[in-house]
Amino acid sequence: MKKILLLTLILMAQVTLFSQVKTITGAGATFPYPIFGKWAYEYEKITGLKLNYQSIGSGGGIQQISNKTVDFGASDSPLKSEELNSKGLIQFPMVIGGAVITYNLEEIPDLALNLDGESVALIFLGEIKKWNDPRIAKLNPELRLPDKEITVVHRADGSGTSFLFTNYLSSVSLKWKNLVGYGTAVDWPTGVGGKGNEGVASYVKQSEGGIGYVEYAYAKQNKMKVAKLKNRDGNFVEPSVESFKMAAENARWDKVDNFYLILTDQSGKNSWPITGASFILIYKNQENCEKAKTMLQFFDWCYKNGSKYALDLDYIPIPENVYSMVENLWAEKVVCSGKKVWSN
Amino acid sequence: MKIPFSKKERTPFEVLSFISAIAVFSIIFLIFFALLIESFPAMKAFGFKFLIGLKWDPVRDIYGALPQIFGTLTTSFLAILIAFPVGILTAFFLTEISPSYLSRPISIGVELLSAVPSIIYGMWGLFVFAPIISRRLIIPIKNKFPNSPLFEGPPMGIGILTASIILAIMILPLIVSICREILLLIPDKVRESAYAMGATKAEVSFKILFPYAKKGIIGSAFLAIGRALGETMAVTFIIGNQHNITTSLISPSSTIASTLANELSEAVTKLHTSSLIFLGLVLFFLSITVISLSRYLIYSVEKNSGSRK
């Protein structure tokens, strides 16, 4: 009996201990999960704040924040203004990433292949079937392209990477827009679907003549062959931190409501065309004032001090001109019991 | 409902076991109703057309499940076609032929096969098995029969055939262990009378024991199909996940379970989620039908042999 009593006491003590530690919870996209984890780890060392982030996918994140089971949601694709307003949410970009095109051709080294939106769209529509097709050859006058079949590989699971990729194809190819459209999962006209970046990567690796798209960070960490892409300004650019950053900086965030901006096919001399931001969703009307403030402080720290951690993990941090707009939005919109939570 | 024990016997132990049994039993109904309610929007939107529709287009919110149903049935059928002969022969070996010092380690080995988690089969299938299948099986066959419609498409080693072989490996332990149990149930006097007549081991196995235990053995095959129908992770990795109906064994396809695993977490529209749950309901019905059939067949053997239920 005594033992049981003791055990109960210990358990209760732990419970009270736990409630003293501040925790914020979030759920959503899998893409930013590693960097959220890193930021949270570094921030906890300074402040003791814990972040509990469940990477269950953007769809799940939107559902969880709508049901108010978490403090913030994260989505790889922005929500439209009507949906945000009807739920009382605001959204802002937290980190930038993008997709790159990878291929498996023995005779062609990394970054030697040039592609443009139209050719990529036709490849993924199944209309360009061979690597030596004139529509690819004219972009690569100095290459000797092999007479090989193209094997198209796409993501099978719904993902933010697919969203960006198909959104890019929709904005550069009318045919793609009409036949397929864009979304986290689409009705792929041809090819095979791999599960996750690793699935796509290994399918491409296994088929000579394969082409697929993966997240930039994944391609870089696994030293995969990537193609250069022609951007809106007509230059062939290679995917790099600079070219992603350029796309984010050149985007006209001030012209849109609620940061509803997909960064694909942005102008700018060196902008990488398949770029996108991962978004955070929070309520305009916060219920717990202290928690709301803590949460915004954490995001603020991530913007201002988190860049180097992001770059270490091959994510692109949000440029300063963009995050100052975000913080203005907090100051303007986020309230708790009638009072503003954030001031610049 | 009549409680199956009298008032005097209603000890806490008996009441608790009764409640547990009812709880376990009712879970299946709760799952069924949850699936039914959640899939209602998709039923309303598509009705019967859902089952025969060919297009699965999340962008335009049009959903038809025939490709996934086709993929599920094809891979399960091929898997049982591969696993059943191997499984039954293994069971014959273990019960009729093998000396006891061999049958024990083999039985344990077969059981270990069933303890390997599904995801491991998926990873192994993707990184190791698919390339081997492509090089050693598909490319040689393609060279020999270049125009065969069964082997049309690039030899990536991913698709219906590879998925079926992996599934066959996964359901093999189930077939072996059930067949072995059933063969052991056959009274020894049946075997002995056959051997006394001068029958060989093959004759005893195929002409005496197999007909004797036929229903149960076929029941084990159905049970194995039931497992193959719902297998998710391993299949998702190696089937290629393309919603299409094809005659080619090496082209990608998708199954109900793999579609659910791929799309549920990122399904944004209500109709998409609902359609996925409707798919789940279809799978539920397929599995329930197959498993009931297998139970019935196995039960009828056990009743004949007069053993305990």
Side-chain angles (χ1 to χ4, degrees):
Chain A
M1 198 60 212
K2 254 187 189 166
K3 260 189 192 162
I4 293 176
L5 208 69
L6 201 70
L7 210 71
T8 327
L9 275 175
I10 292 171
L11 275 175
M12 274 167 64
Q14 270 184 341
V15 169
T16 44
L17 214 74
F18 249 101
S19 64
Q20 276 167 357
V21 176
K22 288 218 185 67
T23 308
I24 50 174
T25 55
T30 43
F31 158 71
Y33 176 57
I35 184 61
F36 284 176
K38 179 72 182 162
W39 280 338
Y41 173 75
E42 296 295 335
Y43 194 66
E44 191 188 341
K45 280 201 276 193
I46 307 167
T47 62
L49 178 83
K50 271 195 164 56
L51 171 73
N52 175 5
Y53 183 75
Q54 304 152 5
S55 61
I56 53 173
S58 302
I62 295 167
Q63 214 155 54
Q64 295 258 20
I65 187 74
S66 305
N67 296 335
K68 301 199 177 181
T69 47
V70 288
D71 301 322
F72 70 90
S75 170
D76 282 341
S77 50
L79 265 62
K80 295 222 166 73
S81 280
E82 309 91 73
E83 197 178 349
L84 288 169
N85 291 338
S86 74
K87 287 175 174 161
L89 291 166
I90 56 165
Q91 76 187 353
F92 46 87
M94 199 64 223
V95 69
I96 290 163
V100 299
I101 291 169
T102 178
Y103 56 92
N104 177 359
L105 284 172
E106 234 177 298
E107 46 283 85
I108 296 175
D110 188 24
L111 289 172
L113 184 70
N114 287 337
L115 293 169
D116 64 356
E118 192 61 34
S119 61
V120 176
L122 291 174
I123 290 171
F124 276 80
L125 281 168
E127 282 185 29
I128 294 182
K129 288 185 166 34
K130 291 215 160 175
W131 279 108
N132 60 357
D133 191 284
R135 285 165 287 189
I136 303 177
K138 79 165 191 252
L139 303 169
N140 298 283
E142 66 284 3
L143 282 184
R144 283 193 55 176
L145 290 157
D147 179 26
K148 272 185 189 143
E149 299 253 352
I150 300 178
T151 305
V152 170
V153 185
H154 56 76
R155 281 284 286 268
D157 45 336
S159 86
T161 316
S162 292
F163 177 86
L164 288 182
F165 183 72
T166 52
N167 181 277
Y168 165 68
L169 292 183
S170 294
S171 53
V172 292
S173 160
L174 198 64
K175 204 165 191 180
W176 181 274
K177 194 176 175 184
N178 293 334
L179 288 173
V180 185
Y182 67 90
T184 52
V186 302
D187 186 18
W188 295 97
T190 185
V192 289
K195 185 161 170 50
N197 286 306
E198 65 285 356
V200 172
S202 73
Y203 283 10
V204 171
K205 223 180 283 169
Q206 275 162 36
S207 36
E208 175 71 19
I211 186 169
Y213 60 92
V214 291
E215 233 163 61
Y216 166 66
Y218 187 85
K220 193 163 174 219
Q221 283 149 18
N222 291 284
K223 302 196 171 53
M224 298 169 71
K225 279 186 194 173
V226 296
K228 283 187 187 169
L229 263 182
K230 195 177 189 174
N231 65 11
R232 201 188 182 101
D233 287 17
N235 299 317
F236 287 102
V237 287
E238 57 182 80
S240 67
V241 171
E242 287 69 39
S243 60
F244 281 103
K245 220 170 172 173
M246 189 76 89
E249 274 169 359
N250 278 315
R252 299 303 307 268
W253 296 95
D254 50 333
K255 292 269 195 242
V256 293
D257 282 337
N258 290 309
F259 294 97
Y260 184 88
L261 196 57
I262 302 158
L263 298 174
T264 54
D265 199 30
Q266 292 294 329
S267 58
K269 193 165 126 283
N270 288 318
S271 295
W272 178 251
I274 323 178
T275 305
S278 198
F279 294 85
I280 297 278
L281 302 162
I282 60 170
Y283 279 101
K284 265 185 246 179
N285 221 328
Q286 294 283 329
E287 275 162 11
N288 181 337
C289 303
E290 206 181 333
K291 196 177 228 176
K293 184 142 199 200
T294 318
M295 182 165 70
L296 293 182
Q297 273 166 349
F298 169 65
F299 292 143
D300 174 63
W301 179 88
C302 296
Y303 282 139
K304 288 177 179 156
N305 303 300
S307 303
K308 60 173 182 288
Y309 306 117
L311 291 169
D312 282 347
L313 295 174
D314 297 308
Y315 288 89
I316 319 303
I318 301 283
E320 198 184 332
N321 65 334
V322 182
Y323 75 66
S324 57
M325 272 188 260
V326 171
E327 299 200 340
N328 288 336
L329 177 83
W330 296 347
E332 194 187 320
K333 292 266 174 75
V334 183
V335 292
C336 178
S337 18
K339 273 188 240 147
K340 295 209 159 147
V341 174
W342 189 258
S343 57
N344 274 335
Chain B
M1 199 193 297
K2 197 165 172 279
I3 292 175
F5 32 80
S6 73
K7 211 167 189 176
K8 177 170 77 181
E9 285 170 309
R10 219 170 285 171
T11 61
F13 165 70
E14 285 171 51
V15 172
L16 275 178
S17 7
F18 178 67
I19 292 172
S20 309
I22 291 295
V24 170
F25 189 68
S26 49
I27 286 171
I28 195 87
F29 285 99
L30 291 175
I31 292 174
F32 173 72
F33 283 121
L35 287 175
L36 199 66
I37 292 164
E38 294 286 322
S39 59
F40 196 68
M43 287 180 183
K44 218 168 85 181
F46 306 110
F48 184 68
K49 276 198 189 123
F50 184 80
L51 299 177
I52 51 168
L54 291 170
K55 221 164 168 46
W56 185 271
D57 187 344
V59 177
R60 290 172 185 82
D61 254 352
I62 300 165
Y63 304 99
L66 198 60
Q68 288 93 324
I69 296 173
F70 170 82
T72 308
L73 295 178
T74 319
T75 48
S76 300
F77 177 72
L78 286 174
I80 199 74
L81 217 59
I82 300 165
F84 188 64
V86 181
I88 182 87
L89 287 175
T90 312
F92 275 136
F93 179 78
L94 290 175
T95 57
E96 310 303 321
I97 299 165
S98 150
S100 59
Y101 68 85
L102 248 182
S103 71
R104 246 187 105 72
I106 292 179
S107 301
I108 291 171
V110 169
E111 271 155 32
L112 282 180
L113 212 55
S114 72
V116 177
S118 169
I119 184 96
I120 304 288
Y121 281 111
M123 281 157 49
W124 175 76
L126 177 61
F127 293 119
V128 183
F129 192 60
I132 293 175
I133 283 279
S134 166
R135 270 201 311 276
R136 303 260 173 240
L137 187 71
I138 297 175
I139 292 178
I141 294 179
K142 264 180 91 81
N143 289 340
K144 216 160 192 184
F145 308 101
N147 297 318
S148 164
L150 284 179
F151 289 88
E152 207 181 285
M156 273 179 301
I158 290 148
I160 296 174
L161 182 66
T162 315
S164 305
I165 297 173
I166 294 276
L167 271 179
I169 297 171
M170 295 179 77
I171 62 179
L172 199 55
L174 198 64
I175 299 177
V176 173
S177 55
I178 295 176
C179 287
R180 197 190 57 190
E181 294 302 318
I182 289 172
L183 290 174
L184 288 176
L185 279 175
I186 299 175
D188 273 342
K189 60 177 185 225
V190 175
R191 289 184 186 83
E192 279 155 14
S193 3
Y195 287 126
M197 303 286 288
T200 64
K201 280 197 169 160
E203 282 168 341
V204 172
S205 295
F206 289 106
K207 293 198 175 145
I208 308 292
L209 299 180
F210 185 76
Y212 197 96
K214 196 168 61 189
K215 275 189 177 169
I217 288 169
I218 293 170
S220 80
F222 274 100
L223 207 60
I225 294 177
R227 162 123 202 244
L229 285 175
E231 184 42 57
T232 311
M233 236 34 225
V235 175
T236 308
F237 273 87
I238 41 187
I239 191 135
N241 302 298
Q242 185 80 352
H243 307 310
N244 59 1
I245 295 180
T246 158
T247 55
S248 169
L249 289 176
I250 60 168
S251 67
S253 177
S254 66
T255 68
I256 296 178
S258 72
T259 308
L260 292 179
N262 279 328
E263 292 184 15
L264 200 57
S265 66
E266 290 281 342
V268 182
T269 68
K270 210 176 183 132
L271 200 55
H272 192 185
T273 314
S274 173
S275 299
L276 287 168
I277 293 169
F278 195 1
L279 259 189
L281 189 66
V282 173
L283 182 60
F284 186 85
F285 267 114
L286 283 176
S287 305
I288 291 270
T289 315
V290 168
I291 286 172
S292 319
L293 207 59
S294 80
R295 276 287 150 212
Y296 168 73
L297 291 169
I298 291 176
Y299 176 69
S300 65
V301 174
E302 287 175 347
K303 208 171 60 184
N304 284 345
S305 77
S307 72
R308 204 167 166 263
K309 62 178 174 190

